[in-house]
Amino acid sequence: MLTAAVVQAAATLFLTGVAWTVQAVVYPAFAHVPAGAAWRRHHETHSRAITAVVGPPWVVQGVATAVLLVLAPREPLVWTVAVLAAAGVAVTLPAASLHGRLDPHTAPDGLRRLLRLNLARALVWSAGSVAAGLLVLGVTSPGSP
């Protein structure tokens, strides 16, 4: 169980860092990319790159969470970690959909909405990082499952 907890925590911490970087740097910079073809190229490049960055740890997080649920189905902190991971997915889906229509030059409210969705994702993953850290600490404590 310790290995699954550590792997899940590491993936969640990584995703949390990416979410806060996107919130503070990446999405605000979108507004400064010139309109037209430059914007489309920038956005397509961002979309491919960010998928490569977050896709693998997201899969790892999901698999590790599933393993934890199998290994410790009665552990409340495992369920907390699982619910927060699922909430991260739930917040990401509308953000991914919004990306397909995003153009800060013709619809600046789309970028504001994307920032709000990403803030929710960053907060959820931050809470997930805390819960995952507590789970790792609990697993390594005497008398833990």
Side-chain angles (χ1 to χ4, degrees):
M1 173 138 155
L2 178 59
T3 300
V6 168
V7 168
Q8 201 281 345
T12 303
L13 285 163
F14 179 83
L15 290 165
T16 301
V18 170
W20 284 112
T21 300
V22 166
Q23 185 70 24
V25 178
V26 176
Y27 285 168
F30 277 6
H32 303 289
V33 177
W39 161 252
R40 285 189 299 280
R41 278 192 310 275
H42 177 80
H43 187 257
E44 288 168 7
T45 301
H46 161 80
S47 296
R48 278 192 306 276
I50 202 70
T51 299
V53 168
V54 299
W58 207 2
V59 170
V60 168
Q61 181 193 41
V63 170
T65 301
V67 168
L68 288 168
L69 287 167
V70 168
L71 293 176
R74 290 184 175 80
E75 174 61 41
L77 202 46
V78 167
W79 281 97
T80 302
V81 165
V83 166
L84 289 167
V89 172
V91 175
T92 299
L93 294 176
S97 173
L98 182 57
H99 259 286
R101 304 181 311 276
L102 189 64
D103 185 338
H105 304 289
T106 60
D109 60 311
L111 184 54
R112 285 190 292 274
R113 183 165 180 242
L114 191 59
L115 278 160
R116 284 193 306 272
L117 285 167
N118 189 71
L119 178 59
R121 176 174 41 205
L123 291 169
V124 164
W125 274 335
S126 294
S129 292
V130 171
L134 291 172
L135 181 62
V136 169
L137 291 174
V139 171
T140 60
S141 299
S144 63

